[in-house]
Amino acid sequence: MELEQRQLRVSTFKSAKPLLRLSPSTGYLAAAPFRSIECVHGGRRVTLEAVIDEALPRNALSMSSKAAEQLRLTEYTWQMPAGVTQGRIQFGPLIGILSNPRWDKEARTLRKSSQTEVLQRLVEAGREHGAVCFVFGIHSVNLKAGTITGYVLNDGVWHRRQLPLPDVIYDQLHSRKLEQDAKELREALSKRYGSRIFNDGFFDKWQVYEWLREDRQVRQHLPQTRQHTSMSSAEAFLSSHSVTFLKPLHGSLGLGIARFVRQRDGSYTYEVKRKTSAIVRGKAASAKKVLSVFRTRLKHRPYIWQEGLPLATYHHRPVDFRILMQRDETGEWKRTKMFARVARIGDFTSNLSGGGDAMPVDQALAECLPKVEQRNRAKAQIRRLSRQVVDALEQGSGRTFGELGIDLGLDTSGKVWIIEVNSKPRKTPTTEKGRQDLVDLSFERPMRYAIYLATKAAK
């Protein structure tokens, strides 16, 4: 029997016996005055004795303190969404957001940060669409006991609670180091949840390249790329391109990227993006000599080499296009946002975190391409390719994702190229230059998709 979604008003009464009192209007106890009913809250399943209570208002239930303890229902659930049948009540769905929350012992709430604002908006978006949401860190998971120490939001204040394992997990852990530190637990969590955990883990740039090049149509939009294996192969790659990029295999935000430009006399200039947002510049007489500058770096981290393309610019500043693709409540891919990113003056990457500017696609295209027909073709190509990329990635990886950030470049002839794909596109709750409704939608869609996955699993 399909669960009927309702909003239940939950209260408790003191009793050492696990008992449930239900309003007669609920209609899921048939005629018997007492009956056992299965109650589900995330990974918690408890069979309770239930009784009709004429004093309770419509769609209300009251449970004993013992029952609430067994189900790990806490005070954050007093207005509780639930799926209801004659023999079962499934509280929630319960959505867990994996991140890196930090508890402030003195203030007894989460420490404020830019990530905390994002997490709060996600929790609120999930609640608005009928889910119960909490955030948690990877080290707070106890798979054997089936519990998590998580953080729930009540009237704008975070509270620490012992919770059951959620129905679905949305991975928003942006720290590769934390993920590596808890590798075994992380893998066990992924294995246990399967498709009910989405956007788990980080992308490896070389792996993404291999997945994408398996698709015949997508392959045509990939710049030539090689994994760094030896200094001799790197020298050959550098020598064969006038502009070359060196990218950390596991990097993000444009940090650690180096750009090499071959000069007419065979010498090379280079630029390296540092963590401080500063750019270090230098020059060497040959490909071999410029590589010697990077020898130590290349020994300690895996890298890829990528062909530099003659990309269009906006007022002589590098420009690319970010497309946020997300699944919605139907489980289908939708394009949520699409905007241009323009590098700050003197920079060679366009990441907004490094000082780049966001602007409408049409505004950037008007500067990049002189003819209306060219701009229309480029825009259609950006839309088409972004959808092809998500399909190719899922096909190549054998995984299902909930959202992807796709960075595309445009060359001077109007052809669109794939620059990068991000498994954890960063979001901010507000915007100064863009559309706030699309920003709100970017928070709502992942939570709607999480609810879709939970509902699908419950059937």
Side-chain angles (χ1 to χ4, degrees), residues 200-380:
D200 56 322
F202 293 89
F203 280 160
D204 168 322
K205 288 184 177 65
W206 178 249
Q207 193 174 55
V208 168
Y209 176 76
E210 289 194 309
W211 288 335
L212 292 177
R213 73 177 178 181
E214 291 178 15
D215 186 287
R216 187 177 59 187
Q217 290 181 310
V218 171
R219 188 187 308 147
Q220 302 169 37
H221 299 272
L222 290 169
Q224 191 176 356
T225 306
R226 295 286 183 273
Q227 192 169 16
H228 178 76
T229 54
S230 67
M231 298 301 277
S232 58
S233 63
E235 185 179 347
F237 194 88
L238 265 175
S239 301
S240 62
H241 300 289
S242 58
V243 179
T244 309
F245 286 90
L246 178 65
K247 297 182 177 182
L249 209 64
H250 305 293
S252 60
L253 304 177
L255 301 178
I257 292 179
R259 178 176 180 260
F260 302 84
V261 180
R262 189 180 69 228
Q263 306 300 313
R264 288 184 179 181
D265 62 358
S267 66
Y268 285 81
T269 58
Y270 64 86
E271 302 169 285
V272 185
K273 188 73 175 285
R274 295 288 195 187
K275 288 187 177 180
T276 58
S277 297
I279 296 175
V280 175
R281 294 179 169 87
K283 187 174 183 179
S286 65
K288 189 171 185 176
K289 288 187 176 180
V290 80
L291 282 170
S292 68
V293 178
F294 290 80
R295 185 179 296 277
T296 303
R297 184 188 301 259
L298 289 166
K299 278 184 179 178
H300 290 94
R301 287 182 75 183
Y303 283 87
I304 60 167
W305 293 96
Q306 196 168 79
E307 166 193 12
L309 301 165
L311 295 180
T313 59
Y314 182 88
H315 294 166
H316 307 292
R317 296 155 63 190
V319 60
D320 65 20
F321 302 90
R322 163 58 65 93
I323 300 89
L324 177 62
M325 298 290 292
Q326 296 177 310
R327 291 187 186 272
D328 65 4
E329 66 276 8
T330 67
E332 297 297 321
W333 281 107
K334 298 291 170 60
R335 187 180 63 254
T336 302
K337 291 194 296 182
M338 184 170 80
F339 56 94
R341 304 186 305 177
V342 182
R344 65 176 182 172
I345 296 172
D347 204 340
F348 61 93
T349 65
S350 59
N351 298 79
L352 302 184
S353 60
D357 291 324
M359 68 175 58
V361 170
D362 289 339
Q363 182 181 342
L365 286 176
E367 172 71 19
C368 296
L369 298 171
K371 296 181 180 179
V372 175
E373 298 81 12
Q374 288 179 307
R375 297 198 287 270
N376 289 339
R377 280 197 300 270
K379 195 171 181 179

Side-chain angles (χ1 to χ4, degrees), residues 166-180:
D167 297 305
V168 171
I169 295 173
Y170 175 29
D171 188 342
Q172 285 289 277
L173 183 62
H174 288 280
S175 170
R176 293 173 189 266
K177 185 179 184 302
L178 273 177
E179 176 148 308
Q180 194 61 33

